[in-house]
Amino acid sequence: MTSETRAVRLDGKQVAAELIDRLKFEVAALPYTPKLTFVRVGDDPASASYVRSKERLAQRAGVESETFVLPATTPQAELLELLQRLNEDSGVDGILVQLPLPAGLDSQAMLDAIDPRKDVDGLHPYNVGLLWGGRPGLVPATPLGVMELLASYGVRVAGKHAVVVGRSELVGKPLAALLLRRDATVLIAHSKTPDLAAVTRRADVLVVAAGRPGLVGADMVKPGAAVLDVGLTRVDGRIVGDVKPEVASVAGWLTPMPGGTGPMTVAMVIANTVTAAKWRRSA
Ligand code: NAP
């Protein structure tokens, strides 16, 4: 950090490690071992590395994991059959289809085929409905991780203006629902939003999930705001966020990139698996 830095670092790596330690105790006290399964199709190296990091963290929390790796040429019907088998397997608590799927496969049909009680990615329409209906359900891991980071550092959300840049099903929309649930006044910005800077400057809590490296600079941030960078883009072999590092001189809180929202996402997938196991096995 430079001498200009004023923002408190929202250390996702640290908070995620603490969360995994807590989960480990919780899991050890259960009369069964929760199990998470991954379905990975094709040989995309980024997907393989994401799955590996989730497997490692699952192991640290005492959660069993199994990964099914299928060739990119696998017909959709065969994948649906595998999902059906995992749905019916009473020992499986979580099913995660690693996205993106190779061209030619219908991602939505795959996500819809997962038993909502095992949908640890929270993308099944049933879980999306529960989220917007304000009822308990499985929620996508990245937005959950953002909320957990804010809570861990005591950042107030209730009564504040929150701006979410990005409206994807995976990040922007579910995050807006969670912020609204916590009594923030929420605005969702996207690629058609005119004068983005005027919108982001109003935010007490600003979450950027556009996948546009360096989209948000210091002049777009309200002094003292909490800024969470979700965007991850590989530029010349380096991971670059959507928020410029200079924002640290204006913001009150800021996630580092990497080491902010990324580790939280992985930890929340494991947390979702434990939640899914508890709900399903006690029902
Ligand atoms: P996505 O589906 O591509 O959505 C991107 C969103 O950003 C869209 O709603 C898009 O608007 C909006 N957008 C794009 N350019 C913009 C601009 N110039 N100004 C304002 N809004 C703009 O992506 P995603 O799945 O939500 O992921 C977003 C980023 O987060 C990616 O970099 C991804 O790799 C990263 N990610 C990180 C984590 C993590 O753990 N940190 C987890 C998941 C994703 P339109 O809807 O109008 O196109």
mmCIF file with all atom_site columns, all heavy atoms in Angstrom, residues 142 165-168 170-171 190-192 196 209-212 215 230-233 261-262 265, ligand 1:
data_model
loop_
_atom_site.group_PDB
_atom_site.id
_atom_site.type_symbol
_atom_site.label_atom_id
_atom_site.label_alt_id
_atom_site.label_comp_id
_atom_site.label_asym_id
_atom_site.label_entity_id
_atom_site.label_seq_id
_atom_site.pdbx_PDB_ins_code
_atom_site.Cartn_x
_atom_site.Cartn_y
_atom_site.Cartn_z
_atom_site.occupancy
_atom_site.B_iso_or_equiv
_atom_site.pdbx_formal_charge
_atom_site.auth_seq_id
_atom_site.auth_comp_id
_atom_site.auth_asym_id
_atom_site.auth_atom_id
_atom_site.pdbx_PDB_model_num
ATOM   1   N N   . THR A 1 142 ? -20.856 -15.894 -5.224  1.00 0.00 ? 142 THR A N   1
ATOM   2   C CA  . THR A 1 142 ? -20.129 -14.612 -5.280  1.00 0.00 ? 142 THR A CA  1
ATOM   3   C C   . THR A 1 142 ? -20.888 -13.512 -4.528  1.00 0.00 ? 142 THR A C   1
ATOM   4   O O   . THR A 1 142 ? -20.297 -12.819 -3.690  1.00 0.00 ? 142 THR A O   1
ATOM   5   C CB  . THR A 1 142 ? -19.847 -14.221 -6.746  1.00 0.00 ? 142 THR A CB  1
ATOM   6   O OG1 . THR A 1 142 ? -19.112 -15.283 -7.348  1.00 0.00 ? 142 THR A OG1 1
ATOM   7   C CG2 . THR A 1 142 ? -19.048 -12.941 -6.841  1.00 0.00 ? 142 THR A CG2 1
ATOM   8   N N   . VAL A 1 165 ? -22.701 -2.663  -10.367 1.00 0.00 ? 165 VAL A N   1
ATOM   9   C CA  . VAL A 1 165 ? -22.438 -2.511  -11.806 1.00 0.00 ? 165 VAL A CA  1
ATOM   10  C C   . VAL A 1 165 ? -22.378 -3.925  -12.393 1.00 0.00 ? 165 VAL A C   1
ATOM   11  O O   . VAL A 1 165 ? -21.506 -4.712  -12.039 1.00 0.00 ? 165 VAL A O   1
ATOM   12  C CB  . VAL A 1 165 ? -21.125 -1.742  -12.068 1.00 0.00 ? 165 VAL A CB  1
ATOM   13  C CG1 . VAL A 1 165 ? -20.920 -1.562  -13.575 1.00 0.00 ? 165 VAL A CG1 1
ATOM   14  C CG2 . VAL A 1 165 ? -21.146 -0.383  -11.366 1.00 0.00 ? 165 VAL A CG2 1
ATOM   15  N N   . GLY A 1 166 ? -23.346 -4.235  -13.259 1.00 0.00 ? 166 GLY A N   1
ATOM   16  C CA  . GLY A 1 166 ? -23.474 -5.584  -13.824 1.00 0.00 ? 166 GLY A CA  1
ATOM   17  C C   . GLY A 1 166 ? -24.808 -6.186  -13.415 1.00 0.00 ? 166 GLY A C   1
ATOM   18  O O   . GLY A 1 166 ? -25.236 -6.017  -12.269 1.00 0.00 ? 166 GLY A O   1
ATOM   19  N N   . ARG A 1 167 ? -25.456 -6.857  -14.355 1.00 0.00 ? 167 ARG A N   1
ATOM   20  C CA  . ARG A 1 167 ? -26.805 -7.401  -14.069 1.00 0.00 ? 167 ARG A CA  1
ATOM   21  C C   . ARG A 1 167 ? -26.905 -8.871  -14.448 1.00 0.00 ? 167 ARG A C   1
ATOM   22  O O   . ARG A 1 167 ? -27.942 -9.345  -14.929 1.00 0.00 ? 167 ARG A O   1
ATOM   23  C CB  . ARG A 1 167 ? -27.864 -6.600  -14.814 1.00 0.00 ? 167 ARG A CB  1
ATOM   24  C CG  . ARG A 1 167 ? -27.610 -6.538  -16.316 1.00 0.00 ? 167 ARG A CG  1
ATOM   25  C CD  . ARG A 1 167 ? -28.741 -5.875  -17.062 1.00 0.00 ? 167 ARG A CD  1
ATOM   26  N NE  . ARG A 1 167 ? -28.312 -5.431  -18.381 1.00 0.00 ? 167 ARG A NE  1
ATOM   27  C CZ  . ARG A 1 167 ? -29.078 -4.826  -19.264 1.00 0.00 ? 167 ARG A CZ  1
ATOM   28  N NH1 . ARG A 1 167 ? -30.336 -4.595  -18.971 1.00 0.00 ? 167 ARG A NH1 1
ATOM   29  N NH2 . ARG A 1 167 ? -28.613 -4.466  -20.438 1.00 0.00 ? 167 ARG A NH2 1
ATOM   30  N N   . SER A 1 168 ? -25.799 -9.606  -14.265 1.00 0.00 ? 168 SER A N   1
ATOM   31  C CA  . SER A 1 168 ? -25.846 -11.035 -14.627 1.00 0.00 ? 168 SER A CA  1
ATOM   32  C C   . SER A 1 168 ? -26.648 -11.822 -13.592 1.00 0.00 ? 168 SER A C   1
ATOM   33  O O   . SER A 1 168 ? -26.859 -11.373 -12.464 1.00 0.00 ? 168 SER A O   1
ATOM   34  C CB  . SER A 1 168 ? -24.432 -11.606 -14.714 1.00 0.00 ? 168 SER A CB  1
ATOM   35  O OG  . SER A 1 168 ? -23.864 -11.691 -13.425 1.00 0.00 ? 168 SER A OG  1
ATOM   36  N N   . LEU A 1 170 ? -25.604 -14.490 -12.337 1.00 0.00 ? 170 LEU A N   1
ATOM   37  C CA  . LEU A 1 170 ? -24.625 -15.080 -11.422 1.00 0.00 ? 170 LEU A CA  1
ATOM   38  C C   . LEU A 1 170 ? -24.187 -14.110 -10.332 1.00 0.00 ? 170 LEU A C   1
ATOM   39  O O   . LEU A 1 170 ? -23.948 -14.504 -9.194  1.00 0.00 ? 170 LEU A O   1
ATOM   40  C CB  . LEU A 1 170 ? -23.393 -15.490 -12.258 1.00 0.00 ? 170 LEU A CB  1
ATOM   41  C CG  . LEU A 1 170 ? -22.327 -16.333 -11.586 1.00 0.00 ? 170 LEU A CG  1
ATOM   42  C CD1 . LEU A 1 170 ? -22.876 -17.698 -11.230 1.00 0.00 ? 170 LEU A CD1 1
ATOM   43  C CD2 . LEU A 1 170 ? -21.117 -16.489 -12.513 1.00 0.00 ? 170 LEU A CD2 1
ATOM   44  N N   . VAL A 1 171 ? -24.078 -12.820 -10.682 1.00 0.00 ? 171 VAL A N   1
ATOM   45  C CA  . VAL A 1 171 ? -23.531 -11.860 -9.717  1.00 0.00 ? 171 VAL A CA  1
ATOM   46  C C   . VAL A 1 171 ? -24.482 -10.669 -9.482  1.00 0.00 ? 171 VAL A C   1
ATOM   47  O O   . VAL A 1 171 ? -25.029 -10.502 -8.389  1.00 0.00 ? 171 VAL A O   1
ATOM   48  C CB  . VAL A 1 171 ? -22.143 -11.323 -10.166 1.00 0.00 ? 171 VAL A CB  1
ATOM   49  C CG1 . VAL A 1 171 ? -21.535 -10.482 -9.050  1.00 0.00 ? 171 VAL A CG1 1
ATOM   50  C CG2 . VAL A 1 171 ? -21.195 -12.439 -10.568 1.00 0.00 ? 171 VAL A CG2 1
ATOM   51  N N   . HIS A 1 190 ? -25.640 -1.066  -15.859 1.00 0.00 ? 190 HIS A N   1
ATOM   52  C CA  . HIS A 1 190 ? -25.217 -2.052  -16.857 1.00 0.00 ? 190 HIS A CA  1
ATOM   53  C C   . HIS A 1 190 ? -24.638 -1.314  -18.060 1.00 0.00 ? 190 HIS A C   1
ATOM   54  O O   . HIS A 1 190 ? -24.447 -0.084  -18.002 1.00 0.00 ? 190 HIS A O   1
ATOM   55  C CB  . HIS A 1 190 ? -26.383 -2.968  -17.234 1.00 0.00 ? 190 HIS A CB  1
ATOM   56  C CG  . HIS A 1 190 ? -27.645 -2.218  -17.504 1.00 0.00 ? 190 HIS A CG  1
ATOM   57  N ND1 . HIS A 1 190 ? -27.861 -1.566  -18.691 1.00 0.00 ? 190 HIS A ND1 1
ATOM   58  C CD2 . HIS A 1 190 ? -28.714 -1.967  -16.714 1.00 0.00 ? 190 HIS A CD2 1
ATOM   59  C CE1 . HIS A 1 190 ? -29.027 -0.961  -18.631 1.00 0.00 ? 190 HIS A CE1 1
ATOM   60  N NE2 . HIS A 1 190 ? -29.578 -1.183  -17.436 1.00 0.00 ? 190 HIS A NE2 1
ATOM   61  N N   . SER A 1 191 ? -24.414 -2.047  -19.141 1.00 0.00 ? 191 SER A N   1
ATOM   62  C CA  . SER A 1 191 ? -23.683 -1.432  -20.265 1.00 0.00 ? 191 SER A CA  1
ATOM   63  C C   . SER A 1 191 ? -24.479 -0.322  -20.957 1.00 0.00 ? 191 SER A C   1
ATOM   64  O O   . SER A 1 191 ? -23.909 0.483   -21.689 1.00 0.00 ? 191 SER A O   1
ATOM   65  C CB  . SER A 1 191 ? -23.284 -2.500  -21.282 1.00 0.00 ? 191 SER A CB  1
ATOM   66  O OG  . SER A 1 191 ? -24.418 -2.993  -21.942 1.00 0.00 ? 191 SER A OG  1
ATOM   67  N N   . LYS A 1 192 ? -25.789 -0.275  -20.731 1.00 0.00 ? 192 LYS A N   1
ATOM   68  C CA  . LYS A 1 192 ? -26.589 0.776   -21.377 1.00 0.00 ? 192 LYS A CA  1
ATOM   69  C C   . LYS A 1 192 ? -26.857 1.948   -20.434 1.00 0.00 ? 192 LYS A C   1
ATOM   70  O O   . LYS A 1 192 ? -27.607 2.855   -20.775 1.00 0.00 ? 192 LYS A O   1
ATOM   71  C CB  . LYS A 1 192 ? -27.946 0.206   -21.850 1.00 0.00 ? 192 LYS A CB  1
ATOM   72  C CG  . LYS A 1 192 ? -27.864 -1.074  -22.683 1.00 0.00 ? 192 LYS A CG  1
ATOM   73  C CD  . LYS A 1 192 ? -27.291 -0.805  -24.070 1.00 0.00 ? 192 LYS A CD  1
ATOM   74  C CE  . LYS A 1 192 ? -27.355 -2.040  -24.960 1.00 0.00 ? 192 LYS A CE  1
ATOM   75  N NZ  . LYS A 1 192 ? -26.528 -3.163  -24.503 1.00 0.00 ? 192 LYS A NZ  1
ATOM   76  N N   . LEU A 1 196 ? -22.185 6.553   -16.306 1.00 0.00 ? 196 LEU A N   1
ATOM   77  C CA  . LEU A 1 196 ? -21.948 5.598   -15.206 1.00 0.00 ? 196 LEU A CA  1
ATOM   78  C C   . LEU A 1 196 ? -21.320 6.288   -13.991 1.00 0.00 ? 196 LEU A C   1
ATOM   79  O O   . LEU A 1 196 ? -21.683 6.004   -12.845 1.00 0.00 ? 196 LEU A O   1
ATOM   80  C CB  . LEU A 1 196 ? -21.045 4.463   -15.708 1.00 0.00 ? 196 LEU A CB  1
ATOM   81  C CG  . LEU A 1 196 ? -20.763 3.337   -14.721 1.00 0.00 ? 196 LEU A CG  1
ATOM   82  C CD1 . LEU A 1 196 ? -22.042 2.576   -14.382 1.00 0.00 ? 196 LEU A CD1 1
ATOM   83  C CD2 . LEU A 1 196 ? -19.712 2.378   -15.274 1.00 0.00 ? 196 LEU A CD2 1
ATOM   84  N N   . ALA A 1 209 ? -19.039 -5.535  -11.095 1.00 0.00 ? 209 ALA A N   1
ATOM   85  C CA  . ALA A 1 209 ? -18.982 -6.894  -11.657 1.00 0.00 ? 209 ALA A CA  1
ATOM   86  C C   . ALA A 1 209 ? -19.305 -6.812  -13.145 1.00 0.00 ? 209 ALA A C   1
ATOM   87  O O   . ALA A 1 209 ? -20.306 -7.340  -13.618 1.00 0.00 ? 209 ALA A O   1
ATOM   88  C CB  . ALA A 1 209 ? -19.971 -7.807  -10.947 1.00 0.00 ? 209 ALA A CB  1
ATOM   89  N N   . ALA A 1 210 ? -18.436 -6.118  -13.883 1.00 0.00 ? 210 ALA A N   1
ATOM   90  C CA  . ALA A 1 210 ? -18.680 -5.910  -15.311 1.00 0.00 ? 210 ALA A CA  1
ATOM   91  C C   . ALA A 1 210 ? -17.719 -6.718  -16.171 1.00 0.00 ? 210 ALA A C   1
ATOM   92  O O   . ALA A 1 210 ? -17.992 -6.968  -17.347 1.00 0.00 ? 210 ALA A O   1
ATOM   93  C CB  . ALA A 1 210 ? -18.568 -4.424  -15.644 1.00 0.00 ? 210 ALA A CB  1
ATOM   94  N N   . GLY A 1 211 ? -16.568 -7.092  -15.609 1.00 0.00 ? 211 GLY A N   1
ATOM   95  C CA  . GLY A 1 211 ? -15.552 -7.781  -16.418 1.00 0.00 ? 211 GLY A CA  1
ATOM   96  C C   . GLY A 1 211 ? -14.894 -6.824  -17.403 1.00 0.00 ? 211 GLY A C   1
ATOM   97  O O   . GLY A 1 211 ? -14.519 -7.218  -18.501 1.00 0.00 ? 211 GLY A O   1
ATOM   98  N N   . ARG A 1 212 ? -14.758 -5.546  -16.992 1.00 0.00 ? 212 ARG A N   1
ATOM   99  C CA  . ARG A 1 212 ? -14.096 -4.516  -17.815 1.00 0.00 ? 212 ARG A CA  1
ATOM   100 C C   . ARG A 1 212 ? -12.930 -3.965  -17.003 1.00 0.00 ? 212 ARG A C   1
ATOM   101 O O   . ARG A 1 212 ? -13.140 -3.135  -16.103 1.00 0.00 ? 212 ARG A O   1
ATOM   102 C CB  . ARG A 1 212 ? -15.069 -3.376  -18.156 1.00 0.00 ? 212 ARG A CB  1
ATOM   103 C CG  . ARG A 1 212 ? -16.267 -3.791  -18.989 1.00 0.00 ? 212 ARG A CG  1
ATOM   104 C CD  . ARG A 1 212 ? -15.861 -4.003  -20.451 1.00 0.00 ? 212 ARG A CD  1
ATOM   105 N NE  . ARG A 1 212 ? -17.000 -4.440  -21.243 1.00 0.00 ? 212 ARG A NE  1
ATOM   106 C CZ  . ARG A 1 212 ? -17.332 -5.719  -21.449 1.00 0.00 ? 212 ARG A CZ  1
ATOM   107 N NH1 . ARG A 1 212 ? -16.607 -6.687  -20.917 1.00 0.00 ? 212 ARG A NH1 1
ATOM   108 N NH2 . ARG A 1 212 ? -18.382 -6.039  -22.188 1.00 0.00 ? 212 ARG A NH2 1
ATOM   109 N N   . LEU A 1 215 ? -12.456 -0.283  -15.165 1.00 0.00 ? 215 LEU A N   1
ATOM   110 C CA  . LEU A 1 215 ? -13.653 0.516   -15.501 1.00 0.00 ? 215 LEU A CA  1
ATOM   111 C C   . LEU A 1 215 ? -13.874 1.661   -14.509 1.00 0.00 ? 215 LEU A C   1
ATOM   112 O O   . LEU A 1 215 ? -14.276 2.758   -14.882 1.00 0.00 ? 215 LEU A O   1
ATOM   113 C CB  . LEU A 1 215 ? -14.886 -0.418  -15.512 1.00 0.00 ? 215 LEU A CB  1
ATOM   114 C CG  . LEU A 1 215 ? -16.249 0.223   -15.756 1.00 0.00 ? 215 LEU A CG  1
ATOM   115 C CD1 . LEU A 1 215 ? -16.336 0.764   -17.181 1.00 0.00 ? 215 LEU A CD1 1
ATOM   116 C CD2 . LEU A 1 215 ? -17.386 -0.787  -15.515 1.00 0.00 ? 215 LEU A CD2 1
ATOM   117 N N   . VAL A 1 230 ? -15.432 -7.244  -8.209  1.00 0.00 ? 230 VAL A N   1
ATOM   118 C CA  . VAL A 1 230 ? -15.718 -8.649  -8.536  1.00 0.00 ? 230 VAL A CA  1
ATOM   119 C C   . VAL A 1 230 ? -15.061 -9.029  -9.872  1.00 0.00 ? 230 VAL A C   1
ATOM   120 O O   . VAL A 1 230 ? -14.660 -10.163 -10.076 1.00 0.00 ? 230 VAL A O   1
ATOM   121 C CB  . VAL A 1 230 ? -17.249 -8.898  -8.583  1.00 0.00 ? 230 VAL A CB  1
ATOM   122 C CG1 . VAL A 1 230 ? -17.566 -10.303 -9.064  1.00 0.00 ? 230 VAL A CG1 1
ATOM   123 C CG2 . VAL A 1 230 ? -17.871 -8.657  -7.208  1.00 0.00 ? 230 VAL A CG2 1
ATOM   124 N N   . GLY A 1 231 ? -14.936 -8.070  -10.755 1.00 0.00 ? 231 GLY A N   1
ATOM   125 C CA  . GLY A 1 231 ? -14.422 -8.340  -12.108 1.00 0.00 ? 231 GLY A CA  1
ATOM   126 C C   . GLY A 1 231 ? -13.057 -9.007  -12.096 1.00 0.00 ? 231 GLY A C   1
ATOM   127 O O   . GLY A 1 231 ? -12.188 -8.658  -11.288 1.00 0.00 ? 231 GLY A O   1
ATOM   128 N N   . LEU A 1 232 ? -12.887 -9.974  -12.933 1.00 0.00 ? 232 LEU A N   1
ATOM   129 C CA  . LEU A 1 232 ? -11.604 -10.693 -13.045 1.00 0.00 ? 232 LEU A CA  1
ATOM   130 C C   . LEU A 1 232 ? -11.303 -10.852 -14.520 1.00 0.00 ? 232 LEU A C   1
ATOM   131 O O   . LEU A 1 232 ? -12.040 -11.539 -15.214 1.00 0.00 ? 232 LEU A O   1
ATOM   132 C CB  . LEU A 1 232 ? -11.734 -12.116 -12.489 1.00 0.00 ? 232 LEU A CB  1
ATOM   133 C CG  . LEU A 1 232 ? -11.853 -12.395 -11.001 1.00 0.00 ? 232 LEU A CG  1
ATOM   134 C CD1 . LEU A 1 232 ? -12.051 -13.877 -10.774 1.00 0.00 ? 232 LEU A CD1 1
ATOM   135 C CD2 . LEU A 1 232 ? -10.607 -11.915 -10.303 1.00 0.00 ? 232 LEU A CD2 1
ATOM   136 N N   . THR A 1 233 ? -10.254 -10.205 -14.989 1.00 0.00 ? 233 THR A N   1
ATOM   137 C CA  . THR A 1 233 ? -9.885  -10.392 -16.393 1.00 0.00 ? 233 THR A CA  1
ATOM   138 C C   . THR A 1 233 ? -8.392  -10.679 -16.449 1.00 0.00 ? 233 THR A C   1
ATOM   139 O O   . THR A 1 233 ? -7.609  -10.050 -15.720 1.00 0.00 ? 233 THR A O   1
ATOM   140 C CB  . THR A 1 233 ? -10.198 -9.117  -17.211 1.00 0.00 ? 233 THR A CB  1
ATOM   141 O OG1 . THR A 1 233 ? -11.541 -8.704  -16.918 1.00 0.00 ? 233 THR A OG1 1
ATOM   142 C CG2 . THR A 1 233 ? -10.085 -9.378  -18.706 1.00 0.00 ? 233 THR A CG2 1
ATOM   143 N N   . THR A 1 261 ? -12.743 -10.683 -3.506  1.00 0.00 ? 261 THR A N   1
ATOM   144 C CA  . THR A 1 261 ? -13.997 -11.416 -3.706  1.00 0.00 ? 261 THR A CA  1
ATOM   145 C C   . THR A 1 261 ? -13.768 -12.851 -4.204  1.00 0.00 ? 261 THR A C   1
ATOM   146 O O   . THR A 1 261 ? -14.610 -13.714 -3.968  1.00 0.00 ? 261 THR A O   1
ATOM   147 C CB  . THR A 1 261 ? -14.887 -10.673 -4.728  1.00 0.00 ? 261 THR A CB  1
ATOM   148 O OG1 . THR A 1 261 ? -14.133 -10.458 -5.926  1.00 0.00 ? 261 THR A OG1 1
ATOM   149 C CG2 . THR A 1 261 ? -15.355 -9.337  -4.173  1.00 0.00 ? 261 THR A CG2 1
ATOM   150 N N   . GLY A 1 262 ? -12.642 -13.116 -4.874  1.00 0.00 ? 262 GLY A N   1
ATOM   151 C CA  . GLY A 1 262 ? -12.394 -14.462 -5.425  1.00 0.00 ? 262 GLY A CA  1
ATOM   152 C C   . GLY A 1 262 ? -12.360 -15.556 -4.362  1.00 0.00 ? 262 GLY A C   1
ATOM   153 O O   . GLY A 1 262 ? -13.136 -16.519 -4.436  1.00 0.00 ? 262 GLY A O   1
ATOM   154 N N   . THR A 1 265 ? -15.736 -16.322 -2.909  1.00 0.00 ? 265 THR A N   1
ATOM   155 C CA  . THR A 1 265 ? -16.632 -17.119 -3.753  1.00 0.00 ? 265 THR A CA  1
ATOM   156 C C   . THR A 1 265 ? -16.407 -18.606 -3.508  1.00 0.00 ? 265 THR A C   1
ATOM   157 O O   . THR A 1 265 ? -17.353 -19.376 -3.303  1.00 0.00 ? 265 THR A O   1
ATOM   158 C CB  . THR A 1 265 ? -16.377 -16.799 -5.248  1.00 0.00 ? 265 THR A CB  1
ATOM   159 O OG1 . THR A 1 265 ? -16.743 -15.445 -5.482  1.00 0.00 ? 265 THR A OG1 1
ATOM   160 C CG2 . THR A 1 265 ? -17.176 -17.702 -6.165  1.00 0.00 ? 265 THR A CG2 1
HETATM 161 P P1  . NAP B 2 .   ? -21.426 -11.065 -17.477 1.00 0.00 ? 1   NAP B P1  1
HETATM 162 O O1  . NAP B 2 .   ? -22.495 -12.078 -17.472 1.00 0.00 ? 1   NAP B O1  1
HETATM 163 O O2  . NAP B 2 .   ? -20.598 -10.841 -18.691 1.00 0.00 ? 1   NAP B O2  1
HETATM 164 O O3  . NAP B 2 .   ? -22.071 -9.677  -17.042 1.00 0.00 ? 1   NAP B O3  1
HETATM 165 C C1  . NAP B 2 .   ? -21.374 -8.479  -17.086 1.00 0.00 ? 1   NAP B C1  1
HETATM 166 C C2  . NAP B 2 .   ? -22.308 -7.356  -16.750 1.00 0.00 ? 1   NAP B C2  1
HETATM 167 O O4  . NAP B 2 .   ? -21.570 -6.146  -16.767 1.00 0.00 ? 1   NAP B O4  1
HETATM 168 C C3  . NAP B 2 .   ? -23.454 -7.205  -17.756 1.00 0.00 ? 1   NAP B C3  1
HETATM 169 O O5  . NAP B 2 .   ? -24.654 -6.975  -17.065 1.00 0.00 ? 1   NAP B O5  1
HETATM 170 C C4  . NAP B 2 .   ? -23.032 -5.983  -18.588 1.00 0.00 ? 1   NAP B C4  1
HETATM 171 O O6  . NAP B 2 .   ? -24.128 -5.204  -19.040 1.00 0.00 ? 1   NAP B O6  1
HETATM 172 C C5  . NAP B 2 .   ? -22.245 -5.184  -17.580 1.00 0.00 ? 1   NAP B C5  1
HETATM 173 N N1  . NAP B 2 .   ? -21.268 -4.326  -18.237 1.00 0.00 ? 1   NAP B N1  1
HETATM 174 C C6  . NAP B 2 .   ? -20.364 -4.662  -19.186 1.00 0.00 ? 1   NAP B C6  1
HETATM 175 N N2  . NAP B 2 .   ? -19.657 -3.580  -19.560 1.00 0.00 ? 1   NAP B N2  1
HETATM 176 C C7  . NAP B 2 .   ? -20.115 -2.548  -18.840 1.00 0.00 ? 1   NAP B C7  1
HETATM 177 C C8  . NAP B 2 .   ? -19.790 -1.173  -18.795 1.00 0.00 ? 1   NAP B C8  1
HETATM 178 N N3  . NAP B 2 .   ? -18.845 -0.644  -19.573 1.00 0.00 ? 1   NAP B N3  1
HETATM 179 N N4  . NAP B 2 .   ? -20.474 -0.388  -17.941 1.00 0.00 ? 1   NAP B N4  1
HETATM 180 C C9  . NAP B 2 .   ? -21.444 -0.899  -17.148 1.00 0.00 ? 1   NAP B C9  1
HETATM 181 N N5  . NAP B 2 .   ? -21.800 -2.213  -17.150 1.00 0.00 ? 1   NAP B N5  1
HETATM 182 C C10 . NAP B 2 .   ? -21.137 -3.010  -17.995 1.00 0.00 ? 1   NAP B C10 1
HETATM 183 O O7  . NAP B 2 .   ? -20.363 -11.362 -16.328 1.00 0.00 ? 1   NAP B O7  1
HETATM 184 P P2  . NAP B 2 .   ? -20.512 -11.986 -14.840 1.00 0.00 ? 1   NAP B P2  1
HETATM 185 O O8  . NAP B 2 .   ? -20.627 -13.440 -14.914 1.00 0.00 ? 1   NAP B O8  1
HETATM 186 O O9  . NAP B 2 .   ? -21.493 -11.208 -14.045 1.00 0.00 ? 1   NAP B O9  1
HETATM 187 O O10 . NAP B 2 .   ? -19.054 -11.629 -14.306 1.00 0.00 ? 1   NAP B O10 1
HETATM 188 C C11 . NAP B 2 .   ? -18.607 -10.295 -14.239 1.00 0.00 ? 1   NAP B C11 1
HETATM 189 C C12 . NAP B 2 .   ? -17.144 -10.279 -13.917 1.00 0.00 ? 1   NAP B C12 1
HETATM 190 O O11 . NAP B 2 .   ? -16.949 -10.869 -12.646 1.00 0.00 ? 1   NAP B O11 1
HETATM 191 C C13 . NAP B 2 .   ? -16.267 -11.107 -14.884 1.00 0.00 ? 1   NAP B C13 1
HETATM 192 O O12 . NAP B 2 .   ? -15.015 -10.461 -14.983 1.00 0.00 ? 1   NAP B O12 1
HETATM 193 C C14 . NAP B 2 .   ? -16.106 -12.427 -14.164 1.00 0.00 ? 1   NAP B C14 1
HETATM 194 O O13 . NAP B 2 .   ? -14.919 -13.086 -14.528 1.00 0.00 ? 1   NAP B O13 1
HETATM 195 C C15 . NAP B 2 .   ? -16.037 -11.955 -12.741 1.00 0.00 ? 1   NAP B C15 1
HETATM 196 N N6  . NAP B 2 .   ? -16.433 -12.936 -11.730 1.00 0.00 ? 1   NAP B N6  1
HETATM 197 C C16 . NAP B 2 .   ? -15.687 -12.927 -10.590 1.00 0.00 ? 1   NAP B C16 1
HETATM 198 C C17 . NAP B 2 .   ? -16.034 -13.750 -9.557  1.00 0.00 ? 1   NAP B C17 1
HETATM 199 C C18 . NAP B 2 .   ? -15.253 -13.653 -8.298  1.00 0.00 ? 1   NAP B C18 1
HETATM 200 O O14 . NAP B 2 .   ? -15.299 -14.580 -7.515  1.00 0.00 ? 1   NAP B O14 1
HETATM 201 N N7  . NAP B 2 .   ? -14.566 -12.552 -8.048  1.00 0.00 ? 1   NAP B N7  1
HETATM 202 C C19 . NAP B 2 .   ? -17.116 -14.625 -9.678  1.00 0.00 ? 1   NAP B C19 1
HETATM 203 C C20 . NAP B 2 .   ? -17.885 -14.598 -10.848 1.00 0.00 ? 1   NAP B C20 1
HETATM 204 C C21 . NAP B 2 .   ? -17.534 -13.721 -11.859 1.00 0.00 ? 1   NAP B C21 1
HETATM 205 P P3  . NAP B 2 .   ? -25.233 -5.761  -20.107 1.00 0.00 ? 1   NAP B P3  1
HETATM 206 O O15 . NAP B 2 .   ? -26.119 -6.671  -19.314 1.00 0.00 ? 1   NAP B O15 1
HETATM 207 O O16 . NAP B 2 .   ? -25.909 -4.557  -20.568 1.00 0.00 ? 1   NAP B O16 1
HETATM 208 O O17 . NAP B 2 .   ? -24.447 -6.490  -21.159 1.00 0.00 ? 1   NAP B O17 1
#
